[in-house]
Amino acid sequence: MAEADEQPPPSTLSTASSTAPIYIHPRREPFQHGLLPISKLIFTDGTQTLLPIRDKLLSLTSGSAHRANFEAIAEALQISHEHARLVLETIASVLHSDSDPIVTAKPSEIGSVGVNVFDLMLFLHIQSYKRLLPKGHKDSAAVADVWPSTSAFDGFLSALSPLQLVRSNSRRFMPSQADEEAHQLSYLQKHLGNILSLLAESVEGDGEESLVLSMEKLEHLGFLIYFGEKGYERIPLSQNAPFFANSDPEMPAVPVPAAQVHDWLLENIASALERITERASAKENGPSSASDQDVPMADVAASSVKSSSTSRGPSFIEGISKSSYVRLPNDIKGSSVKVVNCHESVIYILAPLKYATVYGCSDATIVLGAVGKAVRIEHCERVHVIAAAKRICIANCRECIFFLGVNQTPLLVGDNHKLQVAPYNTFYSLLEEHLNQVGIDPTINRWDAPVALGVVDPHDSLSHPAGVSDVQTEFAIPVDPDQFTNFLIPNWFEGQHSGSTKDNPFPLPDAYLASQQRNHKNLEENKRMLKDTELDETRKREVATALHACFKDWLYASGNIRQLYCLQGD
């Protein structure tokens, strides 16, 4: 690494393990899974309010760790204990350090373990972020970083169903991964001064020179940004910062002026944005590649490639239509998956993951194996989601049923209608191994305790009907135990390493267990009755024909006939 006074331009910074240039990138997770539509968490005045809140939290916490529990957060932010606990659970799901006590804590301990005050301040700052609009939206002026935004098109959103909204902005207009990264970098570029001031300490001096940043505080920025490049590990910020890179590990590094850190980060962000622009231009002028992470995969034929991924970005499963589709651990690169624009299909993702997103799907069944951080389901209609996860957020969905094994309360946000929830209802041979691998406790299931927040998501730049900002989203109702059924997953692991899971590891509530046992008993009685009934061969054939006809009608009516065809093809 070059000395501070001989720092190379950001586009040529490199590590000892790689001669390839590395660039600064935003962490996608806080922007995709870490935003809460709670008005008291959104501060529009930069640090004018956040700095006093920081100081109050520091006064409420003791010790060098400065960890704020849910009671301190509730007092400092003037929010309910329920919302304070939700803040802690959300931060735990998107924090950059997997070794942080709040990440390793049991679900029941998160509230008391608390979060580092400086990580909390960064979390609160990005609550002012607005997601990138789909390209070509008629209200494109709302993309501007204005808070709150108003629009001449109020009422546009409510006129469309979740899926119509997605289709009105067809896949070719949806933001690419590069678009979203550039949008997030631009947000950080604009607000970097305020963000650094939340981490900086005051010393004697005038103006900006009175603020300094320690190496420890710089590492908190890892919540929002990192250095790295495709195929390589993420590099801690202090290891890449020229003013800390050569520090003696035996001696505490001397804090540096916050203005120096600010200038260095701005140079790197500008370099990264320039690179994104150059790559986008090259892609527009050159042939597309099937391995490109931004290639839209919608509306592809059943025989075409259905997924794409990079080591840095998520694996995409897109455009599946009228078929069954399976992804096992060896099929997925990275630790996150996005299922986008899939219809009338059954999709199995039987792998341990950190994050999963399901967006714009309809009339489908989607099975998510084990997701250790967070799941987000958005803009879906008539979809059955079966998920074992640490936490789940459901936004702008209609007529969907969620069969959940979740350690934290499900979160309902946006304009939801006719949602149902039920306990987890399936298993596969490696499920318990995957649950253990990502840290999900099957003895804890909060499926029946969803929290409903506002209809309007203030992080969404789409226009909204006037006067509904404080309206609570519609609650999900539990599935009637008499309508609850188990979902059978085919043995997709046959011939491979097979695990020991033989049954659903999430215990069923008494009402659902009783219904399941009653259905099983009725089935056995019907089978015995048919077996004991004395019929001649002609009548037996008639009964068998009638049963087969009813079963066939059900297969076609439910769409499950496709699974038989897929199994037959395999």
Side-chain angles (χ1 to χ4, degrees):
M1 180 69 70
E3 296 293 333
D5 58 349
E6 299 178 355
Q7 180 188 355
S11 58
T12 59
L13 289 170
S14 60
T15 67
S17 60
S18 169
T19 57
I22 61 173
Y23 293 85
I24 202 167
H25 300 278
R27 285 187 69 241
R28 303 174 192 271
E29 296 84 4
F31 295 103
Q32 294 177 351
H33 297 277
L35 303 179
L36 289 173
I38 299 175
S39 59
K40 287 189 175 181
L41 302 183
I42 298 168
F43 301 93
T44 61
D45 54 3
T47 57
Q48 186 175 341
T49 305
L50 283 174
L51 282 173
I53 289 175
R54 181 200 67 181
D55 294 340
K56 181 171 184 177
L57 284 165
L58 289 174
S59 70
L60 291 172
T61 57
S62 58
S64 59
H66 286 299
R67 303 194 71 84
N69 61 21
F70 77 98
E71 292 177 336
I73 293 172
E75 180 180 343
L77 297 176
Q78 294 297 294
I79 58 177
S80 67
H81 283 187
E82 181 185 47
H83 282 176
R85 194 178 298 275
L86 187 57
V87 165
L88 288 172
E89 291 176 347
T90 304
I91 293 176
S93 72
V94 296
L95 203 60
H96 56 299
S97 172
D98 285 339
S99 61
D100 190 279
I102 197 175
V103 178
T104 58
K106 296 178 180 179
S108 60
E109 299 172 346
I110 286 179
S112 58
V113 167
V115 63
N116 181 280
V117 168
F118 296 98
D119 290 329
L120 173 60
M121 299 317 296
L122 296 183
F123 168 82
L124 291 175
H125 192 287
I126 66 166
Q127 298 306 309
S128 66
Y129 174 79
K130 285 196 172 186
R131 298 185 185 94
L132 181 62
L133 274 177
K135 296 177 183 177
H137 192 278
K138 64 181 182 180
D139 194 16
S140 57
V143 173
D145 188 8
V146 179
W147 197 275
S149 68
T150 56
S151 167
F153 298 96
D154 281 349
F156 170 74
L157 180 64
S158 61
L160 298 177
S161 76
L163 199 59
Q164 287 172 328
L165 180 64
V166 173
R167 287 172 176 167
S168 71
N169 299 294
S170 60
R171 180 65 177 126
R172 68 180 181 274
F173 294 123
M174 296 303 291
S176 67
Q177 294 293 294
D179 290 335
E180 289 185 341
E181 181 163 317
H183 187 63
Q184 291 159 10
L185 281 173
S186 296
Y187 171 86
L188 294 173
Q189 184 182 48
K190 177 177 180 179
H191 297 282
L192 187 59
N194 285 337
I195 291 171
L196 290 178
S197 69
L198 292 172
L199 302 176
E201 302 171 61
S202 296
V203 294
E204 291 185 6
D206 296 325
E208 292 182 350
E209 295 301 320
S210 66
L211 292 178
V212 298
L213 203 68
S214 67
M215 186 167 70
E216 177 192 359
K217 296 293 174 52
L218 178 68
E219 289 294 4
H220 287 287
L221 274 179
F223 181 70
L224 298 176
I225 53 178
Y226 70 94
F227 279 95
E229 201 43 61
K230 186 165 63 176
Y232 298 98
E233 293 295 324
R234 296 184 178 187
I235 303 165
L237 292 181
S238 61
Q239 291 185 21
N240 212 61
F243 26 83
F244 291 132
N246 297 315
S247 299
D248 185 347
E250 301 296 327
M251 295 288 293
V254 177
V256 299
Q260 184 178 350
V261 179
H262 183 263
D263 292 344
W264 172 70
L265 286 173
L266 283 181
E267 286 183 29
N268 280 278
I269 291 174
S271 178
L273 286 169
E274 182 181 352
R275 180 185 183 235
I276 292 172
T277 302
E278 290 174 352
R279 293 182 67 180
S281 176
K283 191 194 319 185
E284 288 176 2
N285 298 327
S288 60
S289 168
S291 62
D292 195 310
Q293 66 175 358
D294 294 327
V295 174
M297 301 293 290
D299 302 320
V300 293
S303 60
S304 301
V305 175
K306 293 295 198 313
S307 65
S308 60
S309 67
T310 68
S311 60
R312 186 162 53 83
S315 293
F316 277 82
I317 298 171
E318 300 189 44
I320 309 297
S321 179
K322 298 183 178 180
S323 62
S324 291
Y325 186 74
V326 185
R327 272 289 174 261
L328 303 181
N330 292 338
D331 303 321
I332 295 175
K333 296 178 181 178
S335 58
S336 62
V337 162
K338 284 190 174 182
V339 181
V340 181
N341 195 28
C342 295
H343 311 286
E344 300 182 66
S345 299
V346 182
I347 297 171
Y348 304 87
I349 306 174
L350 310 181
L353 299 165
K354 286 187 177 180
Y355 299 95
T357 300
V358 179
Y359 186 94
C361 298
S362 68
D363 303 289
T365 297
I366 299 169
V367 184
L368 301 174
V371 186
K373 296 287 189 180
V375 175
R376 184 175 177 88
I377 315 292
E378 189 169 11
H379 290 303
C380 290
E381 289 187 358
R382 299 177 302 281
V383 169
H384 290 194
V385 176
I386 303 172
K390 185 69 67 68
R391 73 190 310 265
I392 185 169
C393 178
I394 300 162
N396 304 308
C397 291
R398 182 170 296 184
E399 298 178 46
C400 296
I401 304 178
F402 302 91
F403 298 88
L404 303 176
V406 287
N407 289 171
Q408 298 174 7
T409 54
L411 184 61
L412 306 178
V413 302
D415 195 14
N416 295 302
H417 295 282
K418 297 182 179 179
L419 302 186
Q420 297 183 71
V421 290
Y424 194 72
N425 68 337
T426 192
F427 70 94
Y428 58 94
S429 62
L430 288 174
L431 177 58
E432 287 172 299
E433 181 179 322
H434 291 170
L435 294 176
N436 184 63
Q437 189 172 333
V438 300
I440 296 173
D441 183 352
T443 66
I444 301 172
N445 193 354
R446 304 296 304 280
W447 69 274
D448 59 344
V451 174
L453 297 180
V455 165
V456 172
D457 184 350
H459 306 103
D460 191 339
S461 293
L462 289 169
S463 57
H464 299 283
V468 299
S469 59
D470 295 327
V471 176
Q472 191 178 62
T473 191
E474 186 178 304
F475 269 96
I477 62 172
V479 168
D480 187 331
D482 290 336
Q483 303 299 317
F484 178 80
T485 57
N486 287 331
F487 183 84
L488 180 63
I489 297 178
N491 186 13
W492 299 113
F493 292 93
E494 189 174 6
Q496 303 182 31
H497 169 66
S498 184
S500 58
T501 303
K502 304 297 183 184
D503 201 357
N504 182 355
F506 291 89
L508 288 177
D510 292 342
Y512 291 88
L513 181 60
S515 176
Q516 185 184 68
Q517 293 172 340
R518 186 165 56 250
N519 291 337
H520 181 73
K521 181 180 178 181
N522 291 339
L523 176 62
E524 292 300 318
E525 288 179 354
N526 288 332
K527 287 168 63 178
R528 185 174 64 254
M529 183 177 63
L530 286 172
K531 183 178 180 181
D532 294 343
T533 302
E534 294 184 3
L535 299 173
D536 58 32
E537 290 301 317
T538 300
R539 296 290 292 171
K540 286 183 179 179
R541 284 195 296 271
E542 290 176 353
V543 171
T545 300
L547 289 173
H548 289 160
C550 290
F551 182 56
K552 185 177 180 180
D553 289 344
W554 175 81
L555 284 173
Y556 279 101
S558 64
N560 287 308
I561 189 67
R562 297 190 196 98
Q563 294 198 69
L564 290 184
Y565 288 142
C566 291
L567 288 170
Q568 187 178 29
D570 291 339

